[in-house]
Amino acid sequence: MDHDAEQVNRRRGLGESARDLVPPVVTLVVAGLFSFLSGGYILVRSSPVAIVYLLLAAVWLWFMRPSRRPPLLYLCALAALGLFVVWSGLSVLWSIGPDLSWVSFNLAAFYLAVAVVVGLTPVRRLPLRVVAFGFFAVAVAVGIYAILGKVLPDVVTHARLDPRLKDPIGYYNVLALMMVMAVPVALAGAGTSRSRVLWQSALLRALIAAATVPVALTFFFTLSRGGWLALTAVLAVFFVLTRERLASFVTLVVIGAPVAFAVWRVRHLETLFQRSDDLALRISEGHALLVWALIALAVVFVVQAIVAAVHESVRWPERASTAVGAVVLVVVLGGGIVGSWWYVDAQGGTAWIKDRVDVFMSDSDQRTAEASLGRLVSLNAYRLPMWREAWQQWQHARVTGVGAGTFTHTHYRFREVANVVRHAHSQWFNVLSELGVVGLALYVPAMLLFLAAAIGNPLRYRGDPGRALLAALQAGVAGFLVHITWDWDWDMAAIGTVFFLLAGTCASYVHTRAQDERAEEARTWASGEEASATPAPALPECRPFLPLPARTAGSVLLVLLAVSWTFPYLAVRAENQALTAAADGDVAAAVADVQRAARYNPLSARSLILQAQFLQQLGRNREALAVLQEAQALQPDNYEVYLELGLLYARAFQQFDKAAVAFGHGLALNPLDRELNEEFKAALAN
């Protein structure tokens, strides 16, 4: 009977583990799809994926099996993020770009859905490994595709001209960050035993190390300075939290040395580091890089297999392992500190630091920051002007901001150069500018709480067999928070989804382990193996954490969020169809399409502007004027509306005084726009 009961419990446990795998696996698939769909940044590409995920999440929440309550820190993080999402949605009411705020709200709410789905799912060793190695597999696939554009430019053409890798994600620094977040997973996977059979373990560890070679090469050829800073932070956190320090450090050297040698061997090949339209030369030099990359991969595989075999054969005493790990930690952290101090001292000490700070603050570094190897040592970050713009905008709306997702309007108003950006390149400044002190007061605690919940008590469960993988994911969470300080990772759904997946997995794993230990203690006591005088441990709650009314409400909200994603998506599709119809000469169909787009997204001025342009092509200028006046009432801080109004007054009605007034309003919102300036001068001249 006892044996039968044990078998039943074992089958039940396997069934529960299989069910627990569904949410993280689906989330991993979504992150991978986003990665190959321009990072999830382009609305018309990412929306179908997000909508399907939200609908699946609604179904999952409705049928969710009984689950224990997540840790308190994680619940607080969810609450803070939820309030931030609500504030983002409310900002539509006062936003200078309500259509942009709608999209920004949808993205933030999507992240909240990911955090809820993953955080409410129990995570044990199997789901932890699936998440860690699943993410690593996604990063390797992305890295291979990216580096193929460098080594086979005649076959994979996305990187033919640009020496900096950015595809398939579409942005150099986010691609670099994804590679960085995968590195500690590789160190944990290749640095710890993977099988009880020596040769199998050595083979698996060698394969993991070899798979990291394209990740490392892709990271290097993004030429991302922020990526190097994030890598430093990620490695520091990983080596502090993991116990497998010596094996991980050796693995880092085994991977890093051959990759560095391969890069050094091709350092003279100019097309690898500079723009060039000489395809034949790019093919030749790309093939040279491919040869050295394959050599590095083979060396890493062989050396790591040998290292793993030796590591598996030698069983170190616990104390000796701990002591060596402490030495490695001191070497890694101390070496970084001493090396930095030596470099600074050699450059001139504190005077040099002050000079570098001044150069950074003034963007006056003479070294290039363009797409070349020299950018890695350049201090021309182009961040400070955008941070100043965000600060200036905040001065005008300190409490509420000007609406989520509207930094593009802020940039037009306060920019000092003619370049165009859509983000402040710092999520903290971005939130301050768009959502004011209220938004920042909600966002900062939410992010810090997710980090705290993911790390938990770092001294607990030091002997956990999954400790290395857990530390790797925790390091990735920390790396994301470091990187958003100077970049706009938040708006790239691929990496944002990964962040919340890793944070939720870490928090749930630590909490689930604690709950399982309590349950085991209770079972042991009940079986009579403990002394009768010992008080019974408290049993974990067995009832569902979310009762039926709460699950119903949550599922309805997820469906409504899917609908909220659908309407802007349909609007953009209708606009694109209108442009296609107009290009084909069917302007009447184009008008019908943009009218449909305006119905889908009544907050968008773009649909109205396009409608006015098509109406003018049909000679219906009075109708076009009425549409533009509607757009002006909808978005009075959108310079494009005034540009179109001015052009209509000047060209269709010959009313140059009204045109000059419209152009003047537009210039107040975008003083450096060349077309506005030229048309304003022409209107005044008439």
Side-chain angles (χ1 to χ4, degrees):
M1 293 293 293
D2 292 341
H3 176 73
D4 292 341
E6 182 181 348
Q7 293 297 323
V8 170
N9 289 334
R10 183 176 300 173
R11 287 194 297 269
R12 182 181 301 168
L14 290 175
E16 291 178 354
S17 297
R19 286 195 296 271
D20 293 343
L21 284 175
V22 174
V25 167
V26 173
T27 306
L28 276 171
V29 171
V30 167
L33 290 174
F34 279 151
S35 298
F36 283 90
L37 294 172
S38 303
Y41 180 68
I42 299 178
L43 181 67
V44 75
R45 294 184 179 182
S46 63
S47 291
V49 178
I51 292 167
V52 171
Y53 181 85
L54 291 169
L55 294 176
L56 290 176
V59 173
W60 170 84
L61 190 63
W62 177 262
F63 292 104
M64 185 179 66
R65 68 182 182 84
S67 178
R68 304 183 181 108
R69 179 179 64 83
L72 180 60
L73 272 178
Y74 196 78
L75 287 176
C76 292
L78 290 177
L81 182 60
L83 291 174
F84 175 77
V85 170
V86 171
W87 186 250
S88 297
L90 289 175
S91 72
V92 172
L93 300 176
W94 61 81
S95 175
I96 61 178
D99 53 334
L100 300 176
S101 298
W102 187 1
V103 172
S104 184
F105 159 77
N106 284 341
L107 181 61
F110 176 82
Y111 289 153
L112 178 61
V114 172
V116 169
V117 167
V118 177
L120 293 184
T121 303
V123 175
R124 296 177 175 84
R125 286 193 62 189
L126 179 59
L128 177 69
R129 296 177 68 178
V130 168
V131 169
F133 291 118
F135 165 61
F136 181 69
V138 169
V140 170
V142 170
I144 290 175
Y145 180 83
I147 199 64
L148 283 177
K150 179 72 69 174
V151 301
L152 296 174
D154 51 330
V155 178
V156 184
T157 61
H158 64 76
R160 180 173 292 175
L161 297 178
D162 196 342
R164 296 185 65 192
L165 295 178
K166 63 178 181 178
D167 289 322
I169 287 179
Y171 183 47
Y172 320 99
N173 296 335
V174 171
L175 176 60
L177 178 60
M178 180 171 284
M179 301 300 102
V180 164
M181 293 171 71
V183 168
V185 179
L187 299 182
T192 56
S193 178
R194 304 257 62 87
S195 173
R196 294 181 180 179
V197 182
L198 188 149
W199 72 268
Q200 290 180 351
S201 181
L203 177 62
L204 289 173
R205 292 170 63 175
L207 287 173
I208 293 172
T212 314
V213 171
V215 170
L217 286 171
T218 294
F219 164 70
F220 177 80
F221 281 104
T222 61
L223 302 179
S224 171
R225 292 163 293 180
W228 281 99
L229 294 175
L231 178 63
T232 302
V234 164
L235 291 178
V237 173
F238 174 71
F239 278 104
V240 166
L241 296 178
T242 188
R243 292 183 72 249
E244 304 290 341
R245 296 191 181 102
L246 178 58
S248 298
F249 181 73
V250 171
T251 300
L252 179 63
V253 174
V254 169
I255 296 171
V259 170
F261 182 76
V263 172
W264 181 79
R265 289 291 301 180
V266 299
R267 68 192 185 282
H268 62 285
L269 304 181
E270 295 183 358
T271 65
L272 297 180
F273 303 98
Q274 297 178 8
R275 290 183 65 88
S276 173
D277 55 2
D278 189 336
L279 179 58
L281 184 59
R282 289 188 67 84
I283 293 173
S284 174
E285 295 185 346
H287 290 177
L289 174 60
L290 175 61
V291 170
W292 284 106
L294 293 175
I295 292 174
L297 189 147
V299 170
V300 169
F301 179 84
V302 173
V303 175
Q304 183 63 26
I306 296 172
V307 168
V310 173
H311 183 217
E312 298 283 346
S313 301
V314 178
R315 298 300 177 185
W316 289 37
E318 181 68 22
R319 291 185 178 180
S321 179
T322 302
V324 171
V327 171
V328 171
L329 180 61
V330 170
V331 169
V332 172
L333 299 182
I337 295 172
V338 172
S340 300
W341 176 85
W342 176 84
Y343 179 79
V344 169
D345 185 66
Q347 298 297 320
T350 56
W352 179 80
I353 293 177
K354 183 179 182 301
D355 175 69
R356 294 293 88 191
V357 171
D358 292 340
V359 168
F360 174 77
M361 297 295 291
S362 61
D363 279 328
S364 59
D365 197 335
Q366 298 301 311
R367 293 170 295 187
T368 180
E370 299 302 324
S372 68
L373 192 59
R375 78 182 315 276
L376 291 177
V377 293
S378 173
L379 292 178
N380 283 333
Y382 306 129
R383 288 333 191 235
L384 284 173
M386 291 177 283
W387 297 350
R388 285 194 293 265
E389 292 166 11
W391 184 265
Q392 287 176 283
Q393 182 66 79
W394 175 70
Q395 301 292 322
H396 295 276
R398 294 175 181 267
V399 177
T400 62
V402 291
T406 58
F407 182 79
T408 181
H409 294 298
T410 293
H411 176 65
Y412 285 137
R413 183 175 298 180
F414 297 107
R415 61 179 174 165
E416 299 175 356
V417 293
N419 70 315
V420 176
V421 298
R422 298 184 61 181
H423 312 273
H425 285 67
S426 169
Q427 187 60 18
W428 319 112
F429 277 104
N430 218 60
V431 171
L432 182 66
S433 157
E434 296 176 354
L435 296 170
V437 293
V438 175
L440 192 66
L442 295 172
Y443 184 78
V444 173
M447 294 297 100
L448 295 181
L449 284 168
F450 275 110
L451 176 63
I455 293 179
N457 182 357
L459 301 179
R460 194 175 185 183
Y461 307 127
R462 298 288 293 172
D464 188 334
R467 181 68 206 179
L469 284 180
L470 179 64
L473 300 189
Q474 291 168 335
V477 171
F480 177 87
L481 291 182
V482 169
H483 198 263
I484 63 173
T485 301
W486 57 79
D487 233 313
W488 47 281
D489 316 279
W490 179 266
D491 293 279
M492 303 288 284
I495 201 67
T497 301
V498 167
F499 167 76
F500 286 102
L501 170 64
L502 301 191
T505 298
C506 292
S508 184
Y509 179 79
V510 173
H511 187 65
T512 302
R513 171 158 184 145
Q515 295 283 3
D516 287 347
E517 285 188 352
R518 289 177 55 195
E520 183 61 31
E521 290 175 3
R523 283 192 295 268
T524 302
W525 185 89
S527 66
E529 296 179 13
E530 294 287 342
S532 58
T534 304
L539 282 168
E541 295 182 8
C542 294
R543 57 186 174 84
F545 166 62
L546 292 177
L548 181 60
R551 298 205 308 274
T552 302
S555 296
V556 170
L557 287 176
L558 286 170
V559 171
L560 291 177
L561 180 57
V563 173
S564 182
W565 271 81
T566 301
F567 282 107
Y569 164 68
L570 293 176
V572 173
R573 284 197 59 182
E575 290 173 359
N576 292 340
Q577 291 170 357
L579 292 172
T580 301
D584 293 338
D586 192 350
V587 182
V591 171
D593 286 332
V594 291
Q595 288 174 340
R596 181 160 45 89
R599 290 193 297 272
Y600 286 139
N601 189 351
L603 301 179
S604 174
R606 174 176 167 77
S607 299
L608 298 177
I609 291 173
L610 288 175
Q611 183 179 346
Q613 291 174 344
F614 296 145
L615 288 172
Q616 291 177 67
Q617 294 180 32
L618 295 174
R620 296 155 61 180
N621 295 321
R622 292 293 177 185
E623 295 179 53
L625 177 60
V627 170
L628 287 177
Q629 289 172 340
E630 181 183 349
Q632 180 185 4
L634 177 65
Q635 293 192 15
D637 292 293
N638 188 332
Y639 86 93
E640 293 181 278
V641 174
Y642 296 100
L643 173 61
E644 293 298 326
L645 270 173
L647 292 174
L648 180 60
Y649 279 127
R651 297 176 181 177
F653 301 112
Q654 305 296 306
Q655 297 177 357
F656 296 105
D657 53 342
K658 291 185 178 180
V661 171
F663 291 138
H665 280 300
L667 285 172
L669 299 170
N670 189 358
L672 296 186
D673 187 80
R674 185 177 65 180
E675 185 177 7
L676 272 171
N677 277 285
E678 293 176 353
E679 294 293 343
F680 181 62
K681 293 176 182 177
L684 291 177
N686 286 282

